[in-house]
Amino acid sequence: MTATERLYIYDTTLRDGQQTQGVTFSLEDKNRISNLLDNLGVDYIEGGWPGANPTDSDFFDQKNSFINAKLVAFGMTKRFGRSAENDEVLSEIVNSRTSVVCLVGKSHEFHVKQALGISLEENMELIVSSISYLKSLGKEVHFDAEHFFDGFLSDPQYSTRIVQEALKAGAKWVILCDTNGGCMPDQIYSTVQELSKAGLDTNKLGIHAHNDTENAVANSLAAVQAGVRQVQGTINGLGERCGNANLMSLIPSFFLKKDFSDKFELSIKRENLKNLTQCSRLLDEILNRKPNKHLPYVGASAFSHKGGMHVSAVQKDPK
């Protein structure tokens, strides 16, 4: 069977991964990691938040020479009471000069009311006007719908409307975020299916899963099976609290598991799978961490047995 659908891989190691306690990347670190990811063949590299710190600003100020990946500048929607044209945060994103930007905004009514202290319609205006403004400047806009799955449980109509209006405003992708990392795979799957039944084009949706119940990889796979076509994650699952979806596990699964390999193609070449271990080890080296030899696919012990009946069977037939 020839794969007919495209999956897009979005790496956020340099932004969301940097939210990890004790992790701070230097400019050299960011260059080493991003060049390795570009050579691997990922579609998008989120370089950081321009203006958030000097290193991120320096990273976007330099000229990158990526061959395969698009560099993404991350930021938030405009603040309440400001126009999109006069918002400092959006200005930093525009000044980063990247062709692709990713904005984060609230999609859970609880967070809109409690964290932002504004009305649901006022929050909608922040999202729509920010996306429309950046789209008018010729940017490819991604929108991270923060706390989406929790919001869908609380008020499915409002959370669905957020996605609809973001796409209508010009977002190329809307990313459904399990920000708290508390969802189960069946919940992820059923929610994406509900969006499809509501008439949303799931080919324009992505998944951003956190790992607080150690389901980030499973949740990402469930989202793809339900219809999303962009997958976000980090090298080794790096990220705040319990981490993000681990791209070092997801990418091989897309190639080696027939439910995915028969249906999807990636911009990553199959022969580049051998470079995943290099990506994993480079991050450990930069963070001065001992590699976890038990990591799936890339760990030194991933395909090893200590002894006994498993080794006996492998000796008889490696299959």
Side-chain angles (χ1 to χ4, degrees), residues 277-312:
T277 300
Q278 184 184 5
C279 284
S280 175
R281 300 287 169 79
L282 174 67
L283 184 65
D284 288 328
E285 176 190 325
I286 287 172
L287 298 178
N288 196 27
R289 294 179 175 179
K290 185 178 180 181
N292 180 357
K293 64 181 181 180
H294 301 292
L295 283 178
Y297 295 111
V298 297
S301 296
F303 302 102
S304 300
H305 299 293
K306 183 178 179 181
M309 64 181 182
H310 295 300
V311 170
S312 173

Side-chain angles (χ1 to χ4, degrees), residues 44-314:
Y44 298 101
I45 298 172
E46 193 172 72
W49 189 321
N53 59 72
T55 302
D56 279 14
S57 296
D58 290 344
F59 182 72
F60 286 103
D61 284 342
Q62 67 183 3
K63 185 177 181 180
N64 76 77
S65 54
F66 295 155
I67 298 170
N68 301 301
K70 294 180 179 179
L71 179 62
V72 185
F74 182 87
M76 63 189 292
T77 56
K78 76 177 184 72
R79 286 168 294 177
F80 181 66
R82 302 283 183 92
S83 68
E85 293 81 1
N86 293 305
D87 187 88
E88 291 92 339
V89 175
L90 288 185
S91 294
E92 292 283 1
I93 298 173
V94 171
N95 293 338
S96 70
R97 301 189 303 278
T98 62
S99 62
V100 187
V101 298
C102 183
L103 297 179
V104 63
K106 307 293 187 188
S107 62
H108 184 182
E109 47 85 20
F110 173 78
H111 285 267
V112 174
K113 295 172 183 175
Q114 300 301 320
L116 297 183
I118 59 177
S119 72
L120 299 185
E121 289 307 311
E122 286 168 338
N123 178 62
M124 189 76 72
E125 191 277 329
L126 301 184
I127 294 167
V128 169
S129 61
S130 298
I131 293 172
S132 299
Y133 172 60
L134 291 172
K135 175 71 174 175
S136 74
L137 298 178
K139 304 287 187 182
E140 176 184 321
V141 185
H142 300 208
F143 175 67
D144 270 8
E146 191 178 36
H147 296 286
F148 175 80
F149 292 95
D150 294 328
F152 190 86
L153 277 179
S154 173
D155 187 343
Q157 185 176 7
Y158 182 69
S159 294
T160 301
R161 244 190 90 213
I162 290 282
V163 178
Q164 291 169 329
E165 293 300 320
L167 290 171
K168 193 184 298 183
K172 181 172 182 178
W173 292 96
V174 173
I175 315 305
L176 312 177
C177 301
D178 181 22
T179 310
N180 287 339
C183 291
M184 296 289 108
D186 60 334
Q187 179 188 348
I188 298 288
Y189 185 91
S190 63
T191 301
V192 176
Q193 288 279 285
E194 287 298 317
L195 294 178
S196 180
K197 291 175 185 175
L200 282 160
D201 183 359
T202 58
N203 288 307
K204 296 179 179 179
L205 303 181
I207 180 70
H208 180 109
H210 279 261
N211 202 38
D212 297 68
T213 59
E214 205 159 5
N215 277 290
V217 168
N219 285 342
S220 299
L221 294 173
V224 170
Q225 288 176 318
V228 311
R229 293 297 176 257
Q230 186 195 115
V231 180
Q232 296 195 355
T234 61
I235 301 171
N236 294 347
L238 190 71
E240 64 179 337
R241 302 189 317 275
C242 304
N244 287 269
N246 185 359
L247 290 180
M248 303 299 98
S249 296
L250 283 165
I251 292 169
S253 293
F254 291 140
F255 277 99
L256 302 173
K257 299 301 176 182
K258 286 179 67 64
D259 283 352
F260 299 98
S261 62
D262 284 352
K263 186 175 183 181
F264 301 110
E265 60 181 17
L266 281 70
S267 60
I268 298 170
K269 295 181 173 60
R270 189 182 180 91
E271 57 266 27
N272 283 354
L273 284 177
K274 65 180 182 292
N275 297 329
L276 289 174
T277 300
Q278 184 184 5
C279 284
S280 175
R281 300 287 169 79
L282 174 67
L283 184 65
D284 288 328
E285 176 190 325
I286 287 172
L287 298 178
N288 196 27
R289 294 179 175 179
K290 185 178 180 181
N292 180 357
K293 64 181 181 180
H294 301 292
L295 283 178
Y297 295 111
V298 297
S301 296
F303 302 102
S304 300
H305 299 293
K306 183 178 179 181
M309 64 181 182
H310 295 300
V311 170
S312 173
V314 169

